[in-house]
Each structure stands twice: as structure tokens, then as C-alpha cells.
């Protein structure tokens, strides 16, 4: 069993000590970061600090040193984002800080994504993502998309203000396994239920699993609307998508 | 704490104004400082969206239903949060009857502090004039019977609309000083529109400024907005009701220090913890849950939440935010009904 002192990067050690509270998460992260090479720890640390220029530089350096793109993504970028997700869930950081981390992750993914897509790695599943009709907020959805892509999903982004017909057309065109809908407003969240009803009317409901999320959305509301899954945040979204993909 | 006896019978307007001053009331007023517009109400008075957001007579007709049809103690003609942004030049999506008008925040109009311009003819823009005319119509129709509450957006919310949410939040982290400069410039729009609504006849103003716990920390509220909200209290001489959605209990102590008359709070904060956080320094308005209760459940569930608010000493009871447009009238009329029923059985102080 790995110890905290097995992690070379001091900043990562401090993050685990200071911010992680659940024993299983502490153990998992110590095991993870003790296993990964110091260069990946450095990428994760820069991502957690929201330093996009540093992540950009370290990612390029790692690739130049012959480290596989998949390893950089899993052991550097996603590992760092895992700690960011926990801090956000526990309200230790808020959206501006998460956006800065997402910007840093994107800086790294700009190099990683083209390599992975050329390598022909099969995605876990295809996911359609959109903010519902009448809602133009997309920060949460974009964070989910970034985490899903980083976790091996293929994502089709339908953007904001997505009508029921747009969802249905995209289901028919892209044939995803999962549809994800988000809403930030209490005034627009009922449109998720309307979209699910429209899927039933269009006879496409049984073709997809539906997951929903957004600040005002709750598990109860998701259940009432007939969704298959609900995620409280971007981290949970990935877990829900993995569960739905294997269902 | 509201004193409910032995206070003489009040008009709705007197009741709301007293509650805003945390003075004794004959019964707890029922208020929504954001919006009670619904599709059913639009049909009832032939004032559908988007027309009712852009035509003064339709706006006044729809706003009046809050008092005439639902039995609330206030009317609010500004249903959405976009009138100022339209006047500032944001790209708009006016939508249809069953959808809210929105600002296309993905197409921001400003990138930097020097881009910020409050147009000289800001108050003459049709979407501003519409609100001012609607207020005059409501005052003419109802005199001093009902409290007319206006709405002027705070600079943090204007920042989302004019810069885009993501760029604005990133700027707040990358360059807090520049963000403060932006807020300083944008606050002029808040004050100008607020003062114009006072001239038109409002009794109070809601200031939505969405520094919500779903996006930013309580410390952010303190750093960027607390002092500015205090300035509004001095600059805009009617009772101000701050509205922030989401979890806000971590910033309620700061909000209570601003001098605002009231805080309109979300059901993500329980009435009890909210009352404990602010004490008697500011009135609380809220916090009947919209999506799960008013939209999805029945009058009995609404009644339970009303009672929970009353028993916690919340000064004004109403929905937590602008209600979903498809909310049924029967759930809305249950709010004043439950308040009256509760006071019939608890006719003294609570």
C-alpha cells in the first residue's frame, strides 16, 4: 500500500492532505499519484492550480520525451481534474476556479486529442449533450463534456437552447447510447421532462439512456421526469455515463 | 419578528412596506419580487410572452394578475431579467409564449472595461420605457392598494449578460482589479434604471445580482459586491430587495450588513438556517420551492412549505424565484390562502 510520502510532487501531497476528507478518496489518490511518474504529477499540479500555460508547456515536453498521449491524459490531466472535482463538490472551490482548471485541461487536450483520435481507440460510448430549450447557460454542460471526452466518451455537443426536435434529429443522425440534458434555471428545467415526452412520441426513447443535470436539478426531479440517470456535477456525470453505458 | 396583533387591518401595500421595514404587520404579506407570470395568467388577461415583455399595457395587465387573480400583496411588472441588457445592446432571444426571453450570452458585446458604455439614451430605449410606462399604469389603476415592486439588475448579473458568464467569471479570477472597474462602470445602469422606476411610482425595487453559491463563493460576494450593494442603498431611495438564487447561506451575514431592506432567498437554504444567519438585520422573502413544489406538486405540499416559512419567522412569503411558466394557478393561490389560514389560527405574534 502506497504512502503519501511516495508522491514526489509536494503540491499534490499538500492537496491530498488539505482538501481530501473521504478515506476511500484519500487512499485512491495516494495510490494513483504514487504510481504515476513525476512528470505526470507536475502536469496534474499545474492543472489543479489553473496554470494553462504551464500545462501547455509540460504536455508538449512530455510528448517530446516520448510519453504516450493516453498516459498524459489519464495520469496527468484526468488525475488532476479528479482532485478539482472533489474540491468543487465539497465547495472548497467554485466555478471561476474550475473554469481556470478546465482552461488548463484544454491546453493539454489540444495536443492529446488529435493523437488519440488518429490512434483509433474505441470510445466507451457516444453521448449527445445539450442545454434544454429556453436555457442559454452552458458552463456546467461544457465542464461535463470536457470530463466525458477526457474519460473516453465520444461527445456530440448540441450547444444551448436545444429544442426537442433538435435532440430527436441528432439522436436519429448520430445514434448515441446516451443523451445528456442540462438546465441552469428552475424556469427551464421542466423542459427536460417535455423533451423526454417528445422522445417517447417520436419513438426514440427506448434507443437512448437519458441523463440530466444542472444546478437546480435533483434526483427526485430527475426520477419524476423519467430520466435514467442524474449527476450533481461534472465528476458525477462521468460516473453516471459509465453506469448507463454498461447497463 | 413579525407582530401580527394588535395591528389594525392594512392594505397590501402597507403590509409589504411594513414588512420591508421589519415593523409589525396585520398578517405576513405574500410577495414574489421576481415574477409570477404563467401561461394560464397570460391567457386570462390576453398578455402573452413575448408581447408582455415589450408592451406596457400587456405588461401591466399580466403583472396585475398577481394581485387580482392570485391574491398576492405585490405586483411585479418586470418578469424577466433582460430589459436592461436589451437596452445596453445585448443580442436577445425574445422567445414565445411558453418560454422566457433570454440574452445570447455566447455572443457578448463587451470584452474589456473600456468597452463598457451606458448609452446616453439608455432610459429612452423601448424596453426600458415599457417598464416605466407599465409602472405608471399600475399606479394609476391600483393607487395605494398594492405594493408595486420594480426591478433593476445588479452589475454582477449585467456582467454575465454583457461579457458572457464564462469570460466574466474567468476575468474575476485572472484580474480582480479589472473586474471591480467593470462593476463600477456597470453599476451606473443599475442606479439609473432604479431611479427612473422610482420616478414612475414603484414602492420598492428588486436588485437581482446573481453571485450565487452555485457559481461563486461567499468571500467573492464580500470582495466584489457587499460594499457596492451598500452604495445602492444610499443611491436608490426606496427599500431594496436583493435577489440571489441558489445556496447563499454562506453569504447571508454579508448581505445582512448591506442595509438592503430584504433578501429574496432560494429553497436551497432552509428558512430556519437563513433566519439564524441574518437575525433581525434584514427581512427575508421566500422560499417556496419552484420546480419540485409549485410546478410539480399539489396545494397541500405548497401549504406545508408556507407554514414552514411562517413558523420560522420569514417576513414575506412567496416563491423562491420567478416561477416556471407552466405552474398551475391552484398552487399559486394556495400561498395566500395558507398564509391567511395560518394567521386565523395564530393571530398573534410569531
Amino acid at each position: 500500500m502506497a504512502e503519501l510520502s511516495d508522491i514526489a510532487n509536494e503540491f499534490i501531497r499538500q492537496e491530498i492532505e488539505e482538501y481530501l476528507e473521504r478515506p476511500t478518496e484519500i487512499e485512491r489518490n495516494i495510490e494513483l499519484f504514487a504510481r504515476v511518474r513525476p512528470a505526470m504529477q507536475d502536469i496534474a499540479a499545474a492543472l489543479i492550480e489553473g496554470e494553462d500555460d504551464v500545462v501547455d508547456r509540460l504536455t508538449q515536453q512530455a510528448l517530446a520525451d516520448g510519453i504516450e498521449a493516453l498516459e498524459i491524459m489519464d495520469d496527468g490531466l484526468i488525475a488532476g481534474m479528479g482532485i478539482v472535482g472533489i474540491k468543487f463538490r465539497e465547495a472548497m472551490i467554485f466555478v471561476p476556479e474550475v473554469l481556470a482548471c478546465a482552461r488548463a485541461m484544454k491546453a493539454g487536450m489540444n495536443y492529446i486529442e488529435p493523437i488519440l483520435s488518429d490512434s483509433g481507440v474505441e470510445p466507451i460510448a457516444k453521448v449527445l449533450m445539450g442545454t434544454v430549450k429556453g436555457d442559454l447557460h452552458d458552463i456546467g454542460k461544457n465542464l461535463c463534456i470536457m470530463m466525458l471526452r477526457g474519460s473516453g466518451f465520444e461527445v456530440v455537443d448540441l450547444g444551448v437552447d436545444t429544442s426537442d426536435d433538435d435532440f430527436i434529429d441528432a439522436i436519429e443522425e448520430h445514434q448515441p447510447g446516451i443523451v445528456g440534458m442540462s438546465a441552469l434555471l428552475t424556469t427551464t428545467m421542466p423542459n427536460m421532462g417535455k423533451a423526454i415526452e417528445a422522445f417517447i412520441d417520436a419513438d426514440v426513447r427506448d434507443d437512448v439512456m437519458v441523463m440530466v443535470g444542472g444546478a437546480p436539478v435533483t434526483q427526485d426531479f430527475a426520477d419524476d421526469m423519467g430520466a435514467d440517470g442524474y449527476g450533481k456535477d461534472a465528476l458525477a456525470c462521468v460516473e453516471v455515463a459509465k453506469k448507463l453505458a454498461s447497463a | 419578528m413579525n407582530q401580527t396583533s394588535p395591528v389594525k387591518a392594512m392594505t397590501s401595500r402597507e403590509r409589504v412596506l411594513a414588512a420591508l421595514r421589519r415593523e409589525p404587520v396585520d398578517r405576513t404579506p405574500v410577495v414574489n419580487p421576481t415574477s409570477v407570470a404563467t401561461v394560464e395568467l397570460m391567457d386570462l388577461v390576453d398578455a402573452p410572452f413575448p408581447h408582455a415583455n415589450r408592451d406596457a399595457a400587456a405588461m401591466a395587465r399580466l403583472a396585475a394578475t398577481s394581485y387580482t387573480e392570485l391574491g398576492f400583496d405585490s405586483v411585479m411588472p418586470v418578469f424577466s431579467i433582460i430589459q436592461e441588457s436589451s437596452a445596453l445592446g445585448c443580442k436577445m432571444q425574445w422567445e414565445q409564449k411558453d418560454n422566457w426571453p433570454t440574452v445570447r450570452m455566447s455572443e457578448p458585446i463587451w470584452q474589456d472595461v473600456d468597452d463598457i458604455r451606458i448609452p446616453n439614451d439608455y432610459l429612452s430605449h423601448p424596453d426600458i420605457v415599457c417598464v416605466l410606462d407599465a409602472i405608471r399604469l399600475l399606479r394609476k389603476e391600483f393607487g395605494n392598494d398594492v405594493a408595486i415592486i420594480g426591478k433593476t439588475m445588479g452589475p454582477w448579473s449585467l456582467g454575465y449578460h454583457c461579457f458572457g458568464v464564462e469570460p466574466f467569471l474567468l476575468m474575476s479570477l485572472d484580474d480582480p482589479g479589472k473586474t471591480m472597474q467593470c462593476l463600477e462602470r456597470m453599476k451606473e445602469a443599475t442606479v439609473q434604471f432604479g431611479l427612473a422606476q422610482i420616478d414612475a411610482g414603484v414602492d420598492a425595487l428588486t436588485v437581482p445580482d446573481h453571485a450565487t453559491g452555485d457559481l461563486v463563493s461567499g468571500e467573492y460576494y464580500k470582495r466584489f459586491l457587499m460594499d457596492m450593494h451598500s452604495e445602492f442603498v444610499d443611491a436608490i431611495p426606496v427599500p431594496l430587495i436583493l435577489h440571489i438564487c441558489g445556496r447563499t447561506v454562506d453569504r447571508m451575514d454579508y448581505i445582512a450588513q448591506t442595509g438592503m431592506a430584504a433578501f429574496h432567498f432560494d429553497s436551497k437554504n432552509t428558512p430556519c438556517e437563513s433566519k439564524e444567519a441574518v437575525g433581525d438585520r434584514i427581512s427575508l422573502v421566500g422560499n417556496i420551492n419552484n420546480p419540485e413544489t409549485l410546478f410539480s406538486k399539489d396545494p397541500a405540499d405548497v401549504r406545508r412549505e408556507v407554514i414552514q416559512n411562517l413558523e420560522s419567522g420569514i417576513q414575506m412569503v412567496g416563491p423562491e424565484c420567478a416561477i416556471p411558466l407552466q405552474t398551475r394557478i391552484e398552487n399559486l393561490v394556495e400561498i395566500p390562502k395558507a398564509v391567511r389560514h395560518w394567521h386565523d389560527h395564530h393571530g398573534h405574534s410569531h
Side-chain angles (χ1 to χ4, degrees):
Chain A
M1 194 172 142
E3 301 283 334
L4 190 66
S5 56
D6 296 334
I7 299 170
N9 188 293
E10 190 188 348
F11 177 81
I12 297 283
R13 288 201 305 272
Q14 282 173 356
E15 286 286 297
I16 292 173
E17 257 188 331
E18 203 169 323
Y19 295 115
L20 270 52
E21 287 168 357
R22 296 183 188 177
T24 52
E25 288 176 347
I26 294 171
E27 198 180 314
R28 194 177 68 230
N29 277 281
I30 290 175
E31 289 290 339
L32 168 67
F33 284 106
R35 176 182 58 75
V36 309
R37 59 177 105 203
M40 297 301 101
Q41 297 176 26
D42 294 344
I43 289 179
L47 185 144
I48 295 166
E49 291 233 76
E51 294 173 326
D52 55 323
D53 52 340
V54 179
V55 171
D56 184 298
R57 180 170 51 78
L58 293 179
T59 303
Q60 286 191 74
Q61 184 62 52
L63 287 167
D65 291 345
I67 300 173
E68 293 288 327
L70 199 60
E71 182 182 340
I72 298 170
M73 186 177 79
D74 284 345
D75 293 352
L77 301 173
I78 294 180
M81 211 59 188
I83 290 189
V84 173
I86 292 168
K87 288 167 74 177
F88 181 62
R89 183 192 69 205
E90 302 297 335
M92 292 162 177
I93 57 170
F94 290 81
V95 170
E97 293 84 359
V98 175
L99 287 172
C101 298
R103 184 171 56 186
M105 180 150 180
K106 200 173 168 195
M109 289 301 286
N110 283 342
Y111 300 103
I112 303 295
E113 254 176 350
I115 299 171
L116 291 182
S117 63
D118 285 349
S119 69
V121 176
E122 279 294 307
I124 298 174
K126 191 187 278 187
V127 186
L128 273 187
M129 294 285 284
T131 305
V132 296
K133 182 75 191 151
D135 204 322
L136 301 186
H137 300 84
D138 62 357
I139 285 184
K141 173 186 69 65
N142 293 346
L143 288 172
C144 288
I145 288 174
M146 191 191 58
M147 291 298 285
L148 285 167
R149 283 184 177 146
S151 303
F153 288 86
E154 180 185 348
V155 182
V156 179
D157 184 4
L158 300 181
V160 296
D161 191 28
T162 312
S163 69
D164 301 348
D165 286 344
D166 288 344
F167 273 117
I168 291 164
D169 289 347
I171 290 170
E172 285 167 349
E173 182 188 343
H174 298 285
Q175 303 189 329
I178 301 167
V179 173
M181 291 189 278
S182 79
L184 180 79
L185 307 172
T186 59
T187 50
T188 55
M189 59 192 271
N191 291 343
M192 291 175 166
K194 284 166 74 179
I196 292 174
E197 281 171 26
F199 296 173
I200 295 170
D201 293 343
D203 211 18
V204 296
R205 177 67 183 91
D206 292 340
D207 300 339
V208 293
M209 302 297 264
V210 176
M211 62 180 186
V212 296
V217 182
T218 62
Q219 182 71 58
D220 283 350
F221 192 77
D223 292 344
D224 286 349
M225 286 186 302
D228 301 305
Y230 158 73
K232 186 178 177 296
D233 51 42
L235 210 57
C237 166
V238 173
E239 292 311 309
V240 172
K242 282 181 178 169
K243 204 168 130 193
L244 295 180
S246 62
Chain B
M1 182 173 285
N2 287 356
Q3 297 295 318
T4 56
S5 178
V7 177
K8 70 173 178 57
M10 293 172 145
T11 65
S12 286
R13 180 172 180 268
E14 289 169 339
R15 192 174 293 128
V16 172
L17 289 175
L20 284 168
R21 292 189 298 261
R22 298 185 298 290
E23 290 176 356
V25 287
D26 60 344
R27 70 159 169 80
T28 305
V30 177
V31 168
N32 189 349
T34 45
S35 164
V36 290
T38 69
V39 169
E40 267 187 278
L41 292 170
M42 293 176 204
D43 286 341
L44 206 63
V45 294
D46 188 25
F49 277 10
H51 186 59
N53 293 296
R54 312 203 74 185
D55 175 86
M59 182 178 267
R61 276 204 307 282
L62 185 56
T65 59
S66 167
Y67 180 59
T68 57
E69 308 302 322
L70 305 181
F72 281 35
D73 293 295
S74 66
V75 293
M76 162 56 78
V78 194
F79 309 114
S80 64
I81 54 171
I82 45 78
Q83 309 290 142
E84 302 91 323
S85 301
S86 174
L88 290 172
C90 290
K91 291 182 182 167
M92 305 300 300
Q93 196 160 308
W94 288 101
E95 290 290 350
Q96 316 84 29
K97 180 179 171 184
D98 60 349
N99 253 330
W100 289 88
T102 41
V103 175
R104 289 188 192 153
M105 289 173 285
S106 57
E107 299 171 59
I109 56 168
W110 296 331
Q111 275 83 44
D112 213 328
V113 62
D114 289 332
D115 298 335
I116 299 172
R117 296 269 185 282
I118 313 300
N120 290 336
D121 58 354
Y122 176 58
L123 296 177
S124 310
H125 188 281
D127 292 319
I128 295 286
V129 171
C130 170
V131 170
L132 302 177
D133 285 347
I135 291 165
R136 290 187 193 99
L137 288 170
L138 287 164
R139 180 58 75 203
K140 193 174 167 194
E141 181 169 356
F142 294 107
N144 289 331
D145 292 345
V146 64
I148 300 173
I149 304 177
K151 191 188 286 174
T152 183
M153 298 293 289
W156 193 264
S157 292
L158 291 175
Y160 292 159
H161 286 178
C162 299
F163 285 84
V165 181
E166 207 168 308
F168 187 70
L169 289 178
L170 274 171
M171 178 169 67
S172 71
L173 195 70
D174 293 340
D175 196 341
K178 190 199 277 184
T179 306
M180 276 311 300
Q181 287 179 330
C182 290
L183 293 169
E184 284 290 336
R185 289 200 184 181
M186 288 187 287
K187 78 178 183 191
E188 187 55 33
T190 308
V191 174
Q192 277 191 30
F193 193 30
L195 294 177
Q197 289 179 72
I198 295 172
D199 284 346
V202 294
D203 295 305
L205 281 162
T206 301
V207 181
D209 217 4
H210 298 89
T212 162
D214 295 324
L215 292 176
V216 299
S217 66
E219 288 310 306
Y220 245 63
Y221 177 81
K222 185 184 180 198
R223 190 196 314 167
F224 288 108
L225 290 172
M226 190 171 91
D227 290 345
M228 197 166 282
H229 287 172
S230 293
E231 279 180 46
F232 289 155
V233 173
D234 295 329
I236 307 173
V238 289
L240 300 183
I241 304 166
L242 179 66
H243 169 84
I244 304 180
C245 304
R247 181 85 179 147
T248 50
V249 80
D250 65 345
R251 62 212 68 190
M252 283 189 194
D253 177 50
Y254 302 137
I255 289 168
Q257 295 175 47
T258 59
M260 293 253 180
F263 179 53
H264 185 206
F265 72 119
D266 189 302
S267 64
K268 281 188 180 169
N269 316 277
T270 69
C272 250
E273 67 177 347
S274 305
K275 198 77 182 79
E276 204 175 295
V278 303
D280 285 325
R281 295 173 292 170
I282 189 168
S283 290
L284 287 173
V285 196
N287 73 345
I288 315 298
N289 177 286
N290 276 343
E292 285 174 21
T293 305
L294 284 171
F295 177 73
S296 309
K297 291 186 179 169
D298 297 318
D301 302 295
V302 175
R303 198 178 316 134
R304 265 193 291 278
E305 282 194 31
V306 168
I307 290 167
Q308 203 188 351
N309 274 287
L310 291 168
E311 291 187 340
S312 301
I314 300 306
Q315 284 87 354
M316 288 167 279
V317 174
E320 60 182 339
C321 190
I323 54 171
L325 296 174
Q326 288 80 8
T327 304
R328 286 170 294 143
I329 286 180
E330 66 168 342
N331 276 354
L332 294 171
V333 296
E334 184 61 29
I335 303 174
K337 209 163 127 185
V339 167
R340 287 195 186 91
H341 187 261
W342 189 87
H343 278 289
D344 286 346
H345 293 80
H346 303 76
H348 43 272
S349 64
H350 66 87

